[in-house]
Amino acid sequence: ENMSEAYKRKTILSDIALRANEKTGIFAEIRKVYEWFEDIIILFPSSKYNGLNEVAADKDKKMFFSSIMSYFDTGIESVEGESQQMDFDKILDNIPRDEAEKIKIDISNAANEHPIMFKVDEQVFELRKDENGNIVYNKLMLNHGNANDMFDYNDESDGTKRLFDLIPLFYENRRVSMILIDEIDRSLHTNLTRKFLELFYEVVEDRDCQLIATTHDSNLLDLELLRQDEIWFVERQDDHSSKVFSLNKFKERFDKKIDKEYLIGRYGAIPIFDDNFVLEEIYEE
């Protein structure tokens, strides 16, 4: 019965794609399409990178993050990993007691032989046993110039945390052909967002990888950074639907200051305010 229920949740195309072993033919084509959609990366404003502890345990990734965090002038000189004992009582608070106890037993048994992966609240932990038999993991710590007083990830600003969610795109998108980011500029300085895009272009220069991002940062409307056909506006209509159109239809000169023209309303897609609005009248009413 459980297998039957699980099977019902699958679409017939996904089932065909997963079973197709042929290298050519219609089933192989279905598999290619399925994998293309499966490999798409979507980052929402609240999306969190779940591999922070993996970074803390990986020398190359720590070096990579350290270099980029320094380049982006975050104040972080290096990204480090520190061995921490797993506090099950604290970390499993949101899991039913019987399930938490089973997880603790499974981890304790497995960690005797080799490290195991364990996911809690979107974060992945690689657990192992130390020489004293305690179950430990590598925790991400951040050096702001004083190795004796390291910062915890939760001590960082929203902008720095946002970078930790974006930077993995530089090394985890090898198979990906499309990346969608909602509010790419969230909590980031406008210059930093631009540098992120420039670095991303360098990484994918020789690959078929497309980035589609939404933003309210008008400073990114720069024809030295983006082509006209890469800039699209979204404008709310009177019936509350949205109209999407490209800057390309305006046929602007290559040296035009697009950001300034946008803010004065040349292209639409800006908020319209009522000049007759008086705040004091609302208080009086």
Side-chain angles (χ1 to χ4, degrees):
E1 184 179 346
N2 289 338
M3 286 184 66
S4 175
E5 287 300 316
Y7 184 77
K8 287 178 184 176
R9 288 194 293 270
K10 284 185 180 180
T11 65
I12 188 168
L13 289 178
S14 65
D15 197 52
I16 290 173
L18 292 172
R19 294 169 184 265
N21 295 318
E22 298 88 347
K23 293 184 178 179
T24 59
I26 184 64
F27 292 139
E29 294 303 316
I30 291 174
R31 185 177 184 87
K32 287 179 184 177
V33 173
Y34 177 84
E35 289 176 345
W36 186 87
F37 279 102
E38 188 178 45
D39 289 339
I40 290 176
I41 292 177
I42 303 176
L43 292 183
F44 298 100
S46 58
S47 295
K48 295 296 178 186
Y49 178 56
N50 64 18
L52 292 178
N53 297 301
E54 182 184 349
V55 171
D58 188 303
K59 181 181 177 183
D60 291 335
K61 287 182 179 178
K62 280 190 292 189
M63 237 173 175
F64 187 85
F65 268 83
S66 297
S67 297
I68 293 188
M69 282 296 178
S70 177
Y71 172 73
F72 282 140
D73 194 26
T74 61
I76 296 173
E77 294 191 2
S78 65
V79 174
E80 308 289 346
E82 186 177 283
S83 182
Q84 296 260 326
Q85 187 171 337
M86 175 64 78
D87 185 348
F88 286 104
D89 294 330
K90 181 179 179 181
I91 211 163
L92 300 179
D93 279 345
N94 298 324
I95 299 177
R97 177 173 288 275
D98 56 341
E99 185 179 340
E101 290 302 321
K102 182 179 182 302
I103 290 172
K104 287 167 70 173
I105 293 171
D106 290 345
I107 290 174
S108 181
N109 291 338
N112 280 323
E113 305 298 329
H114 52 78
I116 66 165
M117 305 300 286
F118 178 58
K119 187 175 183 180
V120 178
D121 294 335
E122 300 303 316
Q123 285 301 311
V124 175
F125 296 85
E126 183 180 274
L127 304 177
R128 65 185 190 282
K129 277 195 172 181
D130 64 12
E131 60 275 9
N132 299 318
N134 299 314
I135 297 176
V136 297
Y137 68 100
N138 286 296
K139 183 178 181 180
L140 188 78
M141 300 300 290
L142 306 162
N143 184 347
H144 280 263
N146 184 355
N148 297 318
D149 186 17
M150 306 280 267
F151 279 53
D152 188 287
Y153 167 82
N154 291 322
D155 297 329
E156 295 295 335
S157 68
D158 286 344
T160 299
K161 290 178 182 176
R162 180 63 166 167
L163 276 178
F164 273 103
D165 300 328
L166 294 175
I167 287 174
L169 293 174
F170 291 132
Y171 62 80
E172 289 195 348
N173 67 349
R174 298 305 173 199
R175 286 177 49 189
V176 176
S177 55
M178 182 181 291
I179 297 171
L180 304 170
I181 306 179
D182 189 13
E183 295 186 23
I184 190 172
D185 57 312
R186 183 180 68 78
S187 300
L188 299 180
H189 189 281
T190 181
N191 291 353
L192 198 154
T193 308
R194 184 188 180 105
K195 280 298 179 184
F196 176 87
L197 291 174
E198 290 173 352
L199 277 182
F200 183 84
Y201 292 158
E202 289 182 26
V203 170
V204 301
E205 187 175 12
D206 299 322
R207 293 177 42 232
D208 295 326
C209 182
Q210 185 178 27
L211 171 65
I212 300 177
T214 65
T215 179
H216 290 99
D217 188 349
S218 60
N219 289 319
L220 297 178
L221 298 177
D222 186 343
L223 296 183
E224 291 185 4
L225 177 69
L226 301 166
R227 298 194 313 264
Q228 294 198 39
D229 63 306
E230 292 177 322
I231 297 174
W232 290 72
F233 301 106
V234 181
E235 183 175 71
R236 181 172 54 82
Q237 306 298 291
D238 290 339
D239 63 357
H240 300 289
S241 62
S242 292
K243 180 182 179 182
V244 182
F245 51 94
S246 171
L247 174 65
N248 201 38
K249 81 173 200 174
F250 295 94
K251 306 299 180 186
E252 295 288 22
R253 287 170 49 92
F254 70 92
D255 58 348
K256 192 84 169 182
K257 294 296 183 184
I258 302 301
D259 57 337
K260 291 181 173 60
E261 295 292 316
Y262 166 71
L263 290 176
I264 63 174
R266 172 170 169 75
Y267 313 118
I270 60 172
I272 305 298
F273 306 109
D274 182 1
D275 290 337
N276 297 318
F277 177 82
V278 180
L279 185 61
E280 285 76 7
E281 291 182 1
I282 295 177
Y283 283 125
E284 289 174 3
E285 291 175 5

